[in-house]
Amino acid sequence: MIEVIDAERCTSCDICVNVCPTNVFDKTDGIPVIARQSDCQTCFLCELYCPEDALYVAPHADAPCPTDVVALRETAALGSYRRAVGWTDETRDLRGIDRSYLLFGH
Amino acid sequence: MTTNGRRAEQRPAPGGSVEFDADVLVIGGGPAGTWAAVSAAARGARVVLADKGFCGTSGATAAAGTGVWYVDPDPALREAAMANREKLGGHLQDRRWMARVLDQTYQDGNRLAAWGYPYPVDDSGKSQRNSLQGPEYMRLMRKRTKQAGVTILDHSPALELLVDDDGAVAGATGVRRQKHDRWTVRAKAVVIATGGCAFLSKTLGSNVLTGDGYLMAAEVGAEFSSMEFSNAYAISPAFGSVTKTLFYGWATFSYEDGSVVPGAASKGGRSAIARALLQGPVYARLDKADDNVQRDMRASQPNFFLPFDRTGIDPFSERFPVTLRLEGTVRGTGGLRIVDDSCATSVPGLYAAGDAATRELICGGFTGGGSHNAAWAMSSGTWAGWGAAVYAGQLGPARQRRLASAGTVAFRNRSSRAFEPAALAEAVQDEVYPYELNYFRHASRLDGALARLDAAWADASAADAADEDNLLRARESAAMLATSRWMYRSALARNESRGMHRRDDYPDQDDRQRHYVTSGGLDEVWTAVRPHADASYAEAAE
């Protein structure tokens, strides 16, 4: 489930509030808040759409998994999904490398 | 670029609400809904698309990667593609529909290329079009939907349909969750593209899929078909949401003590996993994937690795616990019954597309993956949008129609007893998750579950109207409940095992039951049998 909005990276653009399919976030006067964490379906799409790599979705779907943002910044996790699917300028070549056609029919 | 200038018209409305006048209302903004909206707009219809979440991220496709039943128009390849899954589906497919879906999917898949979808190119230089990356695909579909002049209402779940004096569907109303108000769309035709029902199991991207469209359609008298084919379960890490069953084709499954689970496999051996899970934990390790396969998996499906990378597990060398999450009718094949080539339902003005509609025509009683469902979403979406636009055009000016709300459960004050959505959702899950009830079915166990579900329905439909804060959750839980009752009643009507429907008390396929099971009803759930097309033709020839 969604665990972290990194206040140092977040620019309050509210894209996450818009794109979350289960309406987990609420807008505020400042950065958004995780208002309904238990509604999170762990689809990672808020993370993917965040242009600042400020969000972190823990992979645990059924229970919260409190995550320390300071420790998280030491890892490569923030923004890792966005980079992997080619949704950053540096990694855009990855958009067209789907190799599923080699895996089907196994 | 706007492909036509005709937009739905916003009309004056009382405070706390917005109102639109449209030709076609599409409910649901996943693949089927967006294809329907684009198709209707291309035929000149003024279209509103209302999505429960955000059109572009909502639904089972956006979060995942999906195969697509895209086959080059070579007669031998097409024949093989049709023949390939007929046995698995229990010979309930319809060849004519398979052929037209293959044709339409080929066209739609090529349109995606023209719109800029970044299909991969293989070593021989050929563009490979039998797979789509969900986030990329649905971001593009949102863009195309907007460019077509469609008015998109995000975070706007529909709650009930509107009908005219003749019972024809004439729009819907719902809430705008982020604006805390109501919406009404008066439309000449409505396309239900709300997906299947996965019972809030957290299978990837599916928690918006609670059968809402089924409930609304049932309230205006629509029929369902093949609802017994509703017990698809997907493999995921026990703790996680990512269900990419294809990759488990390279897995070895083991018990706690490390010994291999006999017969367990992603394809053709999932029931062995379910039986083992009834005894205790089951583990997987993708140890059959060589370096090349590992590399291709990472490139093809980055999100598959998020649960592993973020917990420090190497899935190729280490064992991790797995579970089977219910995908219900999202990967089942049951849904709203389609009565003609335009994907009309049995109710005038109401169309169905994607997982909300039955996929029996191309899948029979089994889907093993997204491939056919993705093809069906494109094709049925395109046809339903076209059909709805044509119907709307024939209806002419309809502004003067007197409309009534069709919603029942959670809208009526009956008993001064509160509607409790969370408790109801859990009660339904308790009846549909257990493998011993739903995966492995038996009349005695289904009877017990149905008695409890019927009692829950009597209770819910006698409860008071849900308040504004609870209304969406109340309708969702009621939709799950209604879905479970069509599922199990249909399961009891098929006294054999066929496709994904397994009856412990009837373990074999019975040639005399090569027919479809229709179902419907809310207070009283009914089932009936319809012949397969082959049998109808045989009868007509006699």
Side-chain angles (χ1 to χ4, degrees):
Chain A
M1 297 193 277
I2 177 74
E3 292 291 346
V4 170
I5 302 175
D6 185 345
E8 279 188 10
R9 294 180 180 222
C10 178
T11 60
S12 308
C13 71
D14 291 334
I15 288 175
C16 56
V17 182
N18 271 333
V19 302
C20 171
T22 56
N23 197 34
V24 162
F25 304 94
D26 273 344
K27 290 180 193 176
T28 72
D29 292 339
I31 70 171
V33 291
I34 302 168
R36 288 164 293 275
Q37 189 189 28
S38 61
D39 286 349
C40 176
Q41 60 174 358
T42 318
C43 68
F44 304 97
L45 287 168
C46 56
E47 221 189 277
L48 188 55
Y49 272 82
C50 176
E52 307 298 334
D53 298 331
L55 301 179
Y56 177 76
V57 177
H60 302 83
D62 301 314
C65 179
T67 305
D68 177 41
V69 64
V70 179
L72 196 62
R73 287 190 198 123
E74 302 297 309
T75 71
L78 286 167
S80 58
Y81 183 31
R82 197 163 74 95
R83 290 189 294 275
V85 300
W87 280 21
T88 68
D89 287 344
E90 303 75 45
T91 61
R92 56 188 316 148
D93 291 348
L94 299 182
R95 286 173 66 214
I97 63 156
D98 184 354
R99 312 273 285 178
S100 298
Y101 62 91
L102 296 173
L103 299 171
F104 291 141
H106 172 73
Chain B
M1 180 192 69
T2 298
T3 52
N4 77 72
R6 303 186 68 225
R7 295 192 67 100
E9 193 182 325
Q10 189 162 356
R11 298 170 54 73
S17 63
V18 288
E19 198 171 319
F20 295 88
D21 210 47
D23 296 315
V24 174
L25 167 65
V26 178
I27 305 178
T34 49
W35 280 104
V38 166
S39 169
R43 277 153 189 85
R46 300 165 304 146
V47 185
V48 174
L49 182 154
D51 191 89
K52 183 180 194 175
F54 178 81
C55 170
T57 62
S58 247
T61 299
T66 180
V68 182
W69 201 36
Y70 175 100
V71 181
D72 288 335
D74 168 317
L77 291 175
R78 291 275 174 97
E79 169 59 31
M82 290 192 283
N84 172 284
R85 298 272 287 266
E86 279 183 326
K87 186 167 176 232
L88 209 54
H91 298 278
L92 289 177
Q93 295 91 336
D94 182 318
R95 278 286 178 124
R96 188 179 73 81
W97 277 84
M98 292 169 105
R100 69 192 289 255
V101 165
L102 283 166
D103 282 340
Q104 189 63 48
T105 301
Y106 185 74
Q107 286 178 40
D108 288 345
N110 294 345
R111 286 168 82 191
L112 286 172
W115 293 344
Y117 182 85
Y119 283 116
V121 175
D122 69 16
D123 292 343
S124 70
K126 182 175 160 58
S127 173
Q128 287 287 341
R129 299 183 177 176
N130 62 355
S131 169
L132 289 167
Q133 302 282 324
E136 192 80 55
Y137 171 35
M138 291 314 300
R139 185 171 68 167
L140 177 61
M141 288 308 295
R142 178 184 178 87
K143 188 172 125 191
R144 293 302 304 189
T145 302
K146 289 176 84 166
Q147 286 173 340
V150 173
T151 299
I152 297 178
L153 304 178
D154 293 309
H155 298 290
S156 299
L159 293 174
E160 58 179 326
L161 294 176
L162 302 174
V163 289
D164 71 8
D165 285 343
D166 300 324
V169 173
T173 69
V175 291
R176 296 198 297 175
R177 295 186 73 192
Q178 297 192 340
K179 299 202 172 2
H180 306 285
D181 62 8
R182 294 274 187 140
W183 61 263
T184 297
V185 175
R186 299 167 65 98
K188 295 173 187 169
V190 173
V191 179
I192 299 276
T194 47
C197 179
F199 299 96
L200 299 173
S201 71
K202 297 211 171 177
T203 175
L204 190 61
S206 292
N207 267 29
V208 290
L209 309 173
T210 44
D212 311 3
Y214 297 158
L215 175 60
M216 289 186 281
E219 285 172 332
V220 298
E223 296 176 357
F224 300 85
S225 191
S226 288
M227 290 300 280
E228 67 276 29
F229 305 118
S230 45
N231 50 347
Y233 286 82
I235 307 169
S236 79
F239 59 88
S241 60
V242 183
T243 44
K244 183 70 185 174
T245 297
L246 172 71
F247 289 4
Y248 288 92
W250 284 268
T252 301
F253 298 92
S254 52
Y255 294 108
E256 181 96 69
D257 66 5
S259 60
V260 171
V261 178
S266 172
K267 208 155 68 179
R270 218 172 298 174
S271 57
I273 302 172
R275 288 191 201 283
L277 280 166
L278 286 169
Q279 311 302 319
V282 173
Y283 296 80
R285 176 165 52 205
L286 308 184
D287 47 12
K288 296 174 188 162
D290 63 21
D291 289 350
N292 284 337
V293 169
Q294 292 184 23
R295 197 195 55 226
D296 292 342
M297 285 179 173
R298 281 228 175 241
S300 303
Q301 197 71 48
N303 66 352
F304 179 80
F305 293 92
L306 296 175
F308 303 117
D309 294 346
R310 293 180 180 191
T311 52
I313 295 168
D314 175 0
F316 301 112
S317 66
E318 291 172 69
R319 296 200 310 153
F320 55 92
V322 292
T323 191
L324 291 170
R325 288 187 189 266
L326 180 62
E327 296 186 301
T329 57
V330 174
R331 296 258 181 139
T333 68
L336 284 160
R337 182 161 89 81
I338 297 297
V339 301
D340 68 17
D341 283 6
S342 73
C343 294
T345 69
S346 50
V347 179
L350 190 67
Y351 294 75
D355 292 349
T358 178
R359 283 135 284 159
E360 68 198 10
L361 298 163
I362 63 163
C363 298
F366 187 89
T367 55
S371 164
H372 289 62
N373 289 5
W376 175 252
M378 290 178 180
S379 305
S380 63
T382 300
W383 297 327
W386 173 82
V390 169
Y391 177 92
Q394 287 164 352
L395 205 60
R399 195 169 284 176
Q400 300 314 316
R401 286 196 291 179
R402 202 173 50 175
L403 306 186
S405 303
T408 57
V409 60
F411 281 114
R412 306 170 296 199
N413 277 315
R414 285 286 183 83
S415 65
S416 309
R417 204 154 29 77
F419 199 113
E420 296 180 45
L424 179 55
E426 254 177 65
V428 176
Q429 290 170 338
D430 287 347
E431 304 297 342
V432 295
Y433 284 0
Y435 311 135
E436 66 272 27
L437 284 175
N438 199 4
Y439 206 123
F440 309 108
R441 293 165 167 175
H442 188 285
S444 64
R445 300 191 293 269
L446 291 172
D447 279 334
L450 268 170
R452 294 185 291 273
L453 292 165
D454 286 347
W457 180 265
D459 212 47
S461 58
D464 267 354
D467 60 36
E468 206 62 28
D469 291 340
N470 272 320
L471 187 52
L472 172 61
R473 294 291 180 238
R475 290 287 289 174
E476 286 178 341
S477 59
M480 285 167 50
L481 174 58
T483 305
S484 68
R485 293 165 71 230
W486 298 313
M487 277 167 52
Y488 281 177
R489 203 71 76 190
S490 299
L492 275 174
R494 188 175 285 287
N495 290 319
E496 60 162 352
S497 293
R498 185 185 294 264
M500 68 174 63
H501 168 70
R502 274 180 208 80
R503 284 279 297 267
D504 282 351
D505 45 347
Y506 294 97
D508 300 320
Q509 188 165 301
D510 170 8
D511 289 345
R512 291 164 307 175
Q513 295 185 56
R514 190 186 169 210
H515 53 221
Y516 298 118
V517 175
T518 317
S519 58
L522 288 164
D523 292 337
E524 295 295 330
V525 172
W526 55 267
T527 62
V529 162
R530 298 188 335 275
H532 183 268
D534 290 357
S536 324
Y537 298 144
E539 210 166 276
E542 272 168 18

